[in-house]
Amino acid sequence: MSEFVTTRREGRMQQIVLDRPKALNSLDLPMCRALHAALDAAAADDSVEAVVTTSTSEKAFCAGGDIRALRDAAASGDHEKNHEFFSEEYAMDLAYHTHRAPTVAVIHGVAMGGGLGISINGSHRVVTKKVMMAMPETAIGFVPDVGASHFLPRLCGGGTRGLAVGIYLGVTGVRMGSADALYTGLATHLIDDEARGEFVTAIGREGLEAALEQHGLPHEEAGESAVEAQIERIEEIFSKPTAQDMIAALEAGEQDEWATATLGMIRAHCPTSIVATIELLRAGAEAEDLRECLDNELALGAWITARPDFVEGVRAVVIDKDRNPTWDPADLDAVEVDAIRAALSGS
């Protein structure tokens, strides 16, 4: 078990509490194992009608995986250690998705990377107005994982629009508020910031549906979605065949604040990660289920974390924080697409 994961039973509900506030609940291997064990215990108890994951932090639900530890292992050549972490993390994410009872995440503050794995893969994603979601992996030489290749292409109803939105979110790592989360489908419900405790208690005493009816707010109260405001442009641009085509379309279009910010994010991020993300999400859109997507992510993740870009990206963003990584290659045209496809297929 982990000192950073606790459980509490109240009535019909099994609550799982993330309690590593100094690290914004970043997930290490013992936490993943503890979360999986708690899910299994709840599945074995027929009296549990809902599993609810919460955080003790006012700043974060979960900021992702323990990137520093993953970077240290990669830098030392201990790729088996990282493979073990990702394998167990993804198995835990799958347990959220396939649980016999509803799995509810109460998301307040930062939720990124692995934090979306333990929330978006569940049945109910309940956000407050102070949520900030993102999949920022391309900024550190990695790719969106934890099931992102399953849930990102299926946002906004899936299809061409869903895949374009997923590629936009995955390639840029843009930050989203509650309105964006609700519009895209990352979130399913909205509650008041201060009602989190009462909402969780109500689930235990009265059941999930009664608690949602009592505390749920109209989605309109989250305000306007920045993604919705640009949805036509997102669909047009991020449906282009290649990253180079996407950049060209952005450059050819209206040079407003959105286009400038979007171009800036893409140009700053790892070229190999950008191409790999597009390939991964397109494969995910065609995948049969979450399990297949996680298998794809594990295969591609093993390849990409063994490359120097991952070590360099984490250094630049997380450790030294100079935001000045040296990517290899530094140009999208030099990225070996065939190598990415081979890694993705496990060949």
Side-chain angles (χ1 to χ4, degrees):
M1 297 297 287
S2 168
E3 63 180 304
F4 303 125
V5 176
T6 60
T7 60
R8 181 177 68 89
R9 180 65 184 271
E10 183 169 339
R12 312 172 190 179
M13 172 201 66
Q14 181 68 50
Q15 184 178 5
I16 303 174
V17 183
L18 303 173
D19 188 20
R20 195 187 183 191
K22 290 183 179 180
L24 300 182
N25 292 328
S26 295
L27 301 172
D28 59 15
L29 186 54
M31 291 176 72
C32 291
R33 288 172 173 167
L35 286 165
H36 202 161
L39 289 167
D40 286 348
D45 185 345
D46 291 339
S47 66
V48 172
E49 297 182 6
V51 180
V52 183
T53 305
T54 64
S55 162
T56 61
S57 171
E58 282 294 320
K59 295 181 179 180
F61 173 72
C62 173
D66 193 337
I67 294 297
R68 288 175 179 265
L70 294 168
R71 191 255 185 191
D72 289 346
S76 68
D78 191 355
H79 302 303
E80 183 58 36
K81 184 176 182 180
N82 282 344
H83 188 273
E84 179 185 29
F85 172 79
F86 289 126
S87 295
E88 296 206 34
E89 181 186 24
Y90 297 173
M92 175 265 296
D93 292 328
L94 185 62
Y96 269 100
H97 187 69
T98 59
H99 206 279
R100 62 157 190 82
T103 47
V104 186
V106 181
I107 313 167
H108 177 77
V110 174
M112 298 191 296
L116 298 193
I118 62 174
S119 53
I120 310 306
N121 291 311
S123 61
H124 295 69
R125 291 88 66 187
V126 182
V127 297
T128 71
K129 297 175 186 178
K130 294 181 180 178
V131 75
M132 190 285 285
M133 289 184 176
M135 291 297 290
E137 287 78 10
T138 56
I140 59 168
F142 192 49
V143 290
D145 65 335
V146 298
S149 63
H150 185 263
F151 61 72
L152 286 181
R154 290 165 177 78
L155 297 177
C156 296
T160 302
R161 171 165 289 185
L163 180 56
V165 169
I167 289 174
Y168 164 64
L169 298 179
V171 164
T172 65
V174 66
R175 296 184 173 192
M176 296 170 283
S178 56
D180 293 325
L182 290 161
Y183 171 72
T184 60
L186 286 169
T188 56
H189 299 83
L190 177 71
I191 61 172
D192 271 327
D193 308 341
E194 303 303 322
R196 284 170 288 151
E198 295 177 8
F199 171 66
V200 173
T201 297
I203 295 174
R205 292 179 179 174
E206 303 167 37
L208 176 59
E209 294 307 317
L212 288 170
E213 184 175 350
Q214 181 180 353
H215 293 283
L217 300 175
H219 290 187
E220 293 76 17
E221 291 197 22
E224 297 183 2
S225 163
V227 174
E228 183 178 12
Q230 303 295 338
I231 190 61
E232 301 298 334
R233 295 168 81 184
I234 290 171
E235 183 172 1
E236 178 186 358
I237 291 166
F238 289 92
S239 297
K240 302 293 184 185
T242 68
Q244 293 92 324
D245 293 330
M246 296 171 192
I247 290 172
L250 279 164
E251 291 174 335
E254 181 184 355
Q255 295 307 296
D256 56 5
E257 183 179 350
W258 179 83
T260 300
T262 302
L263 280 168
M265 286 182 283
I266 295 174
R267 287 170 174 158
H269 294 178
C270 174
T272 298
S273 293
I274 289 171
V275 176
T277 295
I278 294 169
E279 293 293 324
L280 177 64
L281 296 189
R282 286 176 176 161
E286 300 297 326
E288 183 176 344
D289 54 22
L290 175 60
R291 187 186 302 273
E292 182 179 343
C293 289
L294 291 170
D295 288 344
N296 289 342
E297 293 168 14
L298 188 61
L300 186 59
W303 178 81
I304 205 162
T305 53
R307 299 185 71 261
D309 280 340
F310 177 67
V311 173
E312 170 65 3
V314 178
R315 177 207 64 77
V317 175
V318 178
I319 298 174
D320 296 340
K321 300 181 181 179
D322 58 28
R323 297 276 173 176
N324 189 31
T326 300
W327 304 122
D328 181 20
D331 193 303
L332 280 167
D333 291 335
V335 174
E336 297 181 2
V337 182
D338 288 343
I340 292 170
R341 290 172 179 166
L344 183 56
S345 66
S347 60

